[in-house]
Amino acid sequence: MKNYFLLSLMALVLMTSCRSEDDLSIDPPINANIENNSTLAFLMAKVSLNDGSKDNMIDFASNLSVKLPVTVTVNGMVINVTNSNDYEEILDSFDVSEDDDDEVIISYPITVVFSDFSTAVINSDSELAVVANTGEDENDDDIECIDFEYPITASVFNENDDTVSTITINNDNQMYNFIEDLDEFAAVTINFPITVVLADGSVETINSVQELEAAIEAAEGTCDEDDNNDFDDCDTNIYTPTYFEDSILACGEWTIDKLKRNNNNLVDIYEEYIFTFNADGTLLVTENANIFNGTWIATETAGDADVTIDVVGLPDFNDTWNLCKINLQPVEKQVELKIGTDRLRFGSYCSDNTDATLEDILEDGAWIVASYSDDGIDETADYDGYEINFSDDGTVFATNGTNTNNGTWSVFGNDGLMALDFGTEMPFEEFNDNNWDVVSISNTEVTIHDVSGGNGNTDILTLQKL
């Protein structure tokens, strides 16, 4: 791993300078220095570990995750899982019946990613059982209640060649490897301030190693890390009424993604209903020409956030619900409420600045092809070693150090569409299309797909920031 990281580190170097007598000192400031085998280094490594619990509905193991895309068959229904949003489709399949034994059949081979980001190819259930920690409520080692906001820069002094280098860390994988290789350098400092994100979505600005260590220690254990196989549980005690209010008011219109009352799935009945939550506590529901008026209020009970909904003429919604989960992805936003086994989930695709956001994300740094499936055929290996850079002038180039592919790109449309054109340059001419649909975006990962003309097959491309 160390040889690999050192090569990656050289690729990340932004500035390297030889020490001279004019340098004030190579001794780092005490409030920024991070030492090998220190408590802080140990905590930072745990924060940056790969979280294997998010896909437990597939592998039933919190110590590893399955690299996407992957195909599974759930209770007889084939589901192509291309990004984390598709996990919900598996859970929805579990909800079809309360009486059956839910069965997930994985289409092998698959690649699993362990907590230290090492990988292995798995060809059968028996092979998966060997490497998977499948025990119920088996906690993994990562700290999930706090996350780093990247990029983070650090300065390192290498006494072998007497140089000081500034590097940029863009994701958890790079952070974990960085911490693992602290012993390669005589001195390392984090360039503060940095930002961390807590489980409730709030952010903190950190100005020293002492503040960072305290923040991680304070956050550990403060949220439900879902290191179990109870896929229908809630993220309890991490949301406040104010966080619900801010989330629900962020979008003007919400629709019903899920409604289950008394073991009856009612979502199809309310497919055309639009909910508008107003800041004054009123609630407007429209269904074509029909209008329903009501109220809503968020309160706190025993550390949990509760939401009371009362709409005249819509008794299926009227109750005091417990706030279960909030997922504010850039493309689709979801707010889920629960009473016992009853579930109510609102969804919204509101995003006034989807195009600008995606453009800003793609222009910020270099990208790799994390996965590419052409009509169900995995062709990711064709793009190994390539780095892709998007420019604000609409040009894009991909290079592996030997070959360079030049093209153009653009983002348009209220629904989040993307165009790519690499001309006839292989292998990137496979990406040429004027109507890629944006499936999901984050600061470190973008997934787009395109339904092939005529045969209905789907091309799926996931880009990951270096």
Side-chain angles (χ1 to χ4, degrees):
M1 177 180 290
K2 290 183 177 181
N3 290 335
Y4 170 79
F5 176 67
L6 288 176
L7 291 174
S8 300
L9 186 61
M10 294 302 295
L12 292 170
V13 171
L14 297 180
M15 180 275 290
T16 303
S17 61
C18 293
R19 183 174 53 147
S20 69
E21 294 180 357
D22 294 331
D23 292 332
L24 293 176
S25 175
I26 64 165
D27 296 326
I30 190 65
N31 66 345
N33 182 35
I34 176 172
E35 298 179 353
N36 183 44
N37 293 324
S38 64
T39 298
L40 177 58
F42 176 71
L43 291 171
M44 292 177 70
K46 291 186 70 175
V47 172
S48 60
L49 285 170
N50 177 49
D51 176 19
S53 62
K54 294 180 179 179
D55 65 348
N56 281 8
M57 72 290 296
I58 295 176
D59 54 32
F60 299 91
S62 295
N63 67 317
L64 56 84
S65 60
V66 176
K67 186 177 180 180
L68 303 181
V70 64
T71 299
V72 297
T73 303
V74 182
N75 298 334
M77 182 174 70
V78 177
I79 300 175
N80 294 314
V81 184
T82 62
N83 59 72
S84 58
N85 292 332
D86 293 332
Y87 297 151
E88 192 64 37
E89 189 174 352
I90 298 176
L91 299 181
D92 288 343
S93 298
F94 291 165
D95 287 342
V96 170
S97 173
E98 298 291 328
D99 300 324
D100 61 349
D101 294 325
D102 296 315
E103 182 183 34
V104 178
I105 301 174
I106 300 174
S107 297
Y108 293 98
I110 61 172
T111 298
V112 297
V113 183
F114 297 101
S115 59
D116 64 355
F117 296 95
S118 61
T119 62
V121 176
I122 304 297
N123 294 289
S124 66
D125 286 343
S126 59
E127 288 186 17
L128 181 61
V130 171
V131 299
N133 182 354
T134 57
E136 179 73 12
D137 298 320
E138 291 284 356
N139 293 334
D140 51 11
D141 293 328
D142 64 330
I143 298 176
E144 300 170 26
C145 304
I146 186 171
D147 290 307
F148 297 116
E149 189 170 273
Y150 298 104
I152 292 174
T153 61
S155 298
V156 299
F157 173 69
N158 190 327
E159 60 186 355
N160 293 328
D161 55 9
D162 208 27
T163 60
V164 177
S165 303
T166 300
I167 68 170
T168 299
I169 304 167
N170 290 300
N171 52 49
D172 282 341
N173 193 344
Q174 292 178 4
M175 176 63 79
Y176 181 81
N177 288 339
F178 170 71
I179 296 299
E180 285 288 287
D181 288 275
L182 285 175
D183 60 348
E184 298 291 335
F185 307 102
V188 179
T189 63
I190 299 294
N191 296 328
F192 292 101
I194 67 171
T195 301
V196 295
V197 183
L198 303 181
D200 64 357
S202 62
V203 298
E204 289 186 10
T205 300
I206 306 296
N207 295 291
S208 68
V209 293
Q210 291 83 5
E211 289 184 17
L212 181 56
E213 183 173 326
I216 298 175
E217 289 179 335
E220 187 172 12
T222 60
C223 68
D224 181 2
E225 298 191 355
D226 283 334
D227 292 335
N228 55 49
N229 297 330
D230 183 4
F231 313 120
D232 213 29
D233 64 349
C234 293
D235 299 333
T236 55
N237 297 103
I238 71 169
Y239 301 120
T240 65
T242 299
Y243 187 59
F244 170 81
E245 293 167 358
D246 292 342
S247 301
I248 206 72
L249 293 174
C251 296
E253 295 183 349
W254 296 84
T255 56
I256 303 302
D257 278 356
K258 176 187 291 187
L259 179 60
K260 186 168 68 172
R261 303 298 307 254
N262 301 317
N263 291 329
N264 295 313
N265 290 315
L266 307 177
V267 64
D268 290 341
I269 299 175
Y270 298 98
E271 185 177 356
E272 301 297 327
Y273 286 68
I274 298 175
F275 287 68
T276 299
F277 293 81
N278 298 310
D280 62 358
T282 60
L283 176 57
L284 176 66
V285 183
T286 60
E287 186 261 335
N288 296 320
N290 299 315
I291 297 177
F292 306 86
N293 291 286
T295 60
W296 68 278
I297 186 172
T299 56
E300 184 172 337
T301 304
D304 284 343
D306 292 330
V307 180
T308 301
I309 296 175
D310 186 6
V311 182
V312 177
L314 297 179
D316 289 329
F317 299 92
N318 298 340
D319 222 319
T320 295
W321 303 79
N322 179 244
L323 179 55
C324 184
K325 294 181 181 180
I326 295 179
N327 184 12
L328 301 180
Q329 293 295 321
V331 175
E332 182 179 12
K333 298 170 176 58
Q334 294 178 333
V335 174
E336 188 162 351
L337 309 174
K338 180 179 181 180
I339 306 174
T341 60
D342 290 355
R343 284 292 176 100
L344 168 59
R345 188 173 70 223
F346 295 99
S348 179
Y349 288 89
C350 75
S351 182
D352 295 335
N353 298 308
T354 300
D355 299 348
T357 300
L358 180 54
E359 288 175 347
D360 291 343
I361 289 173
L362 289 174
E363 291 167 11
D364 182 26
W367 299 78
I368 62 171
V369 176
S371 64
Y372 175 58
S373 174
D374 182 2
D375 291 347
I377 301 174
D378 187 357
E379 298 182 358
T380 309
D382 293 345
Y383 306 92
D384 287 349
Y386 277 95
E387 175 183 309
I388 306 172
N389 289 269
F390 296 86
S391 300
D392 58 7
D393 62 358
T395 61
V396 58
F397 72 90
T399 181
N400 61 2
T402 302
N403 300 316
T404 299
N405 294 254
N406 295 287
T408 60
W409 71 288
S410 63
V411 176
F412 59 95
N414 293 331
D415 294 329
L417 299 173
M418 184 173 177
L420 284 171
D421 187 355
F422 282 93
T424 59
E425 299 187 60
M426 292 290 293
F428 285 86
E429 60 92 23
E430 291 284 336
F431 296 166
N432 294 348
D433 199 285
N434 292 324
N435 290 286
W436 286 97
D437 289 306
V438 179
V439 177
S440 65
I441 58 175
S442 70
N443 288 329
T444 58
E445 187 173 278
V446 173
T447 297
I448 57 180
H449 75 185
D450 175 65
V451 178
S452 302
N455 57 18
N457 290 326
T458 302
D459 299 338
I460 304 167
L461 170 62
T462 297
L463 303 173
Q464 190 175 80
K465 182 175 286 187
L466 276 173

